Amino acid sequence: MKIVIYLYNGITMLDAIGPYEVLRNIPDADICFVAEKIGEVQADSGFIDINVNHRIADVHKADILVIPGSTIAFLEEMKKETVLNWIRQIDKTTTWTTSVCSGSMLLASAGLLTDLKATSHWKPLNLLSKFGAVPTRERIVEEGKYITAAGVSAGIDMALYLSNRILGENETKAIQLILEYDPQPMFESGNYSTADEKTIKTAEKKLAKDAKKGLGLLGMLKYSKSIFDMIK
Amino acid sequence: MKIVIYLYNGITMLDAIGPYEVLRNIPDADICFVAEKIGEVQADSGFIDINVNHRIADVHKADILVIPGSTIAFLEEMKKETVLNWIRQIDKTTTWTTSVCSGSMLLASAGLLTDLKATSHWKPLNLLSKFGAVPTRERIVEEGKYITAAGVSAGIDMALYLSNRILGENETKAIQLILEYDPQPMFESGNYSTADEKTIKTAEKKLAKDAKKGLGLLGMLKYSKSIFDMIK
């Protein structure tokens, strides 16, 4: 069971590590973290980097492809023809093609979600429509072999959902217990549709600050105000 | 706000990345991943490694210390006097000393949890009593400045709990929304106390297989059967 997770500079780490931690419990899972180049891939926070040992040019197939999201770096990835071509090629070999958070923007940009429902982090969700997909505010959206998940932590739910499809209920319940995934958040503020206005405003302010930091970091002061407003 | 997260070979990645992804949203968070040596730290799965740029010998204080757990490598860490001494020293400077999963075994081994209630992953939980702590089957246990969390995914809840203590409800709800932490597991099998027997047996089998792999990997065929039975 070859599971390929695409990493890139500016990635949101939990988007990748959530699904990884679930899927590594699939018997015979062979998880391959891959990037454009071999070497360090830095997270959006700037506090951590992963050492990547495989480059996309050398990885030609996958049973499961996972595309994690990012605070802002996905805008850069969406413009890379090499990356989009690689995604299209791998997708031809997959049983499941999946994304977490803004990772769905890459799948949409590669033309894989045309006229399909898809989700992403709540903030850039509507941007999906610019690339042919139908933005859908749900935690997990399944369209044939394409499974997209909402923001950051939704990757854990998505991977368990996928595990259930692949291994069935018994094994998946055991994986859930191994991860002790018995979530007990103190507040019910994790869903955009039910969060109060104050929480949404505070979150948007924090995201805008992060995006500006990211823009500085990556030298991406080249986006139109309309796109920036959508994603910040 | 200096947040220090200790990494070591054999670590369970989500134990570290869950709290990191929450805590990095604290204003002025300065997150420092630290290990015994500078360089690569490999996860328990063998599929991923983090590049660590700080060594414990150079890190002398923290506002928050986070000790993540591992499938089996914590047994090795508990025997390292250099590591335990460093934990004791850092703890003297912290406002909060925390752990996720079997990370609490390191805090207990360092003598920091003596006669205090503490939790860990459900599997090795009782081992805490061998090191003076009082095993407590709860998702988050707070004893003064010591906060211990249950297995793997519990680190996300723990970090939000901590964020609430530090920043209060408004900011914490916003962080929860940024992470879109609106968990929707398909099954209710993540809690040991309520999981059915079949799920527990399947999980224990999978953990035993992982532990044996870990023992092979780390050359740790030196533990008594009684300890191995407790943690496998």
Side-chain angles (χ1 to χ4, degrees):
Chain A
M1 174 71 67
K2 177 121 178 170
I3 299 159
V4 173
I5 303 177
Y6 177 61
L7 296 185
Y8 50 97
N9 281 318
I11 202 169
T12 299
M13 206 52 91
L14 187 55
D15 289 17
I17 299 302
Y20 146 84
E21 198 68 57
V22 172
L23 300 175
R24 81 176 195 81
N25 287 290
I26 291 180
D28 303 320
D30 175 16
I31 301 191
C32 173
F33 287 90
V34 64
E36 270 192 285
K37 292 176 194 164
I38 286 169
E40 293 175 20
V41 168
Q42 197 173 54
D44 48 5
S45 66
F47 292 131
I48 184 165
D49 46 74
I50 298 277
N51 215 36
V52 179
N53 300 312
H54 306 276
R55 51 186 197 139
I56 55 175
D58 299 327
V59 175
H60 306 292
K61 51 186 175 176
D63 296 301
I64 301 173
L65 174 66
V66 182
I67 310 282
S70 44
T71 307
I72 196 155
F74 65 89
L75 289 174
E76 195 72 352
E77 296 302 309
M78 285 162 73
K79 294 189 300 186
K80 290 181 180 167
E81 265 311 312
T82 327
V83 172
L84 299 182
N85 275 334
W86 175 78
I87 290 175
R88 287 179 198 113
Q89 248 188 319
I90 291 282
D91 176 64
K92 284 181 190 155
T93 73
T94 63
T95 308
W96 301 98
T97 294
T98 74
S99 66
V100 180
C101 202
S102 51
S104 57
M105 303 297 164
L106 273 73
L107 297 183
S109 300
L112 301 177
L113 300 179
T114 307
D115 296 331
L116 298 182
K117 287 192 290 179
T119 194
S120 93
H121 191 279
W122 54 269
K123 184 61 194 164
L125 178 65
N126 289 331
L127 195 59
L128 276 171
S129 63
K130 289 210 174 189
F131 300 93
V134 184
T136 306
R137 205 177 287 288
E138 278 172 32
R139 192 145 181 94
I140 297 163
V141 174
E142 182 179 357
E143 282 270 34
K145 74 172 189 175
Y146 300 100
I147 304 185
T148 53
V152 198
S153 63
I156 298 172
D157 288 327
M158 185 274 282
L160 284 166
Y161 179 93
L162 191 55
S163 162
N164 187 48
R165 284 309 190 90
I166 295 166
L167 303 173
E169 184 172 331
N170 291 338
E171 282 274 319
T172 302
K173 283 164 94 173
I175 293 174
Q176 187 179 344
L177 185 56
I178 286 172
L179 266 68
E180 215 157 336
Y181 188 49
D182 172 37
Q184 296 173 17
M186 302 177 73
F187 306 114
E188 295 203 1
S189 66
N191 186 314
Y192 180 82
S193 305
T194 53
D196 58 66
E197 212 174 311
K198 193 175 177 181
T199 299
I200 292 174
K201 277 199 176 152
T202 309
E204 286 185 325
K205 256 189 212 166
K206 288 173 87 72
L207 284 169
K209 208 176 151 188
D210 242 31
K212 272 178 198 157
K213 193 178 140 196
L215 283 170
L217 190 75
L218 300 167
M220 296 191 330
L221 286 162
K222 49 198 170 195
Y223 295 99
S224 67
K225 195 179 172 304
S226 67
I227 283 197
F228 190 65
D229 279 350
M230 255 180 179
I231 58 94
K232 78 176 182 193
Chain B
M1 175 70 68
K2 178 123 180 169
I3 299 159
V4 173
I5 303 178
Y6 177 62
L7 298 185
Y8 50 97
N9 281 317
I11 203 168
T12 299
M13 206 53 88
L14 188 55
D15 289 18
I17 299 302
Y20 147 83
E21 198 67 57
V22 172
L23 299 177
R24 82 176 194 81
N25 287 291
I26 291 181
D28 303 321
D30 174 18
I31 302 192
C32 171
F33 286 90
V34 63
E36 270 190 284
K37 291 174 196 166
I38 286 168
E40 293 175 19
V41 168
Q42 199 173 53
D44 48 5
S45 66
F47 292 131
I48 184 165
D49 46 74
I50 299 276
N51 215 36
V52 179
N53 300 312
H54 306 276
R55 53 186 195 137
I56 56 174
D58 299 326
V59 175
H60 305 293
K61 50 186 177 176
D63 295 302
I64 300 172
L65 173 66
V66 182
I67 310 283
S70 45
T71 308
I72 195 156
F74 66 90
L75 290 175
E76 196 72 353
E77 295 301 309
M78 285 162 72
K79 293 189 301 183
K80 290 181 181 167
E81 266 310 311
T82 327
V83 171
L84 298 183
N85 274 334
W86 174 78
I87 290 175
R88 285 179 199 115
Q89 249 189 318
I90 291 281
D91 175 65
K92 283 181 191 156
T93 74
T94 62
T95 308
W96 300 98
T97 293
T98 74
S99 66
V100 180
C101 202
S102 51
S104 56
M105 303 296 166
L106 273 74
L107 297 183
S109 299
L112 301 178
L113 300 179
T114 308
D115 296 331
L116 299 182
K117 289 193 290 179
T119 193
S120 94
H121 192 279
W122 53 270
K123 186 60 195 164
L125 179 64
N126 289 331
L127 195 58
L128 276 172
S129 63
K130 289 210 175 188
F131 300 93
V134 184
T136 306
R137 204 177 290 285
E138 279 172 32
R139 192 143 181 94
I140 296 163
V141 175
E142 182 180 354
E143 283 270 35
K145 74 171 189 177
Y146 300 99
I147 304 185
T148 54
V152 198
S153 63
I156 298 172
D157 289 326
M158 185 274 285
L160 285 165
Y161 179 91
L162 190 55
S163 162
N164 188 48
R165 284 311 192 91
I166 295 166
L167 301 173
E169 185 172 329
N170 292 338
E171 282 275 318
T172 302
K173 284 164 93 174
I175 293 174
Q176 187 179 343
L177 184 57
I178 286 172
L179 266 68
E180 214 156 339
Y181 188 50
D182 173 38
Q184 295 172 17
M186 304 177 71
F187 306 114
E188 295 201 1
S189 66
N191 187 315
Y192 180 82
S193 305
T194 52
D196 58 66
E197 212 175 311
K198 194 175 177 183
T199 298
I200 293 173
K201 276 197 177 152
T202 310
E204 285 185 325
K205 256 189 212 165
K206 288 175 86 72
L207 285 169
K209 209 176 151 190
D210 242 31
K212 270 178 199 156
K213 194 178 141 199
L215 283 171
L217 190 74
L218 301 167
M220 297 193 326
L221 285 163
K222 48 196 169 195
Y223 295 100
S224 67
K225 194 178 174 303
S226 65
I227 282 197
F228 190 63
D229 280 349
M230 256 180 179
I231 57 95
K232 82 176 178 190

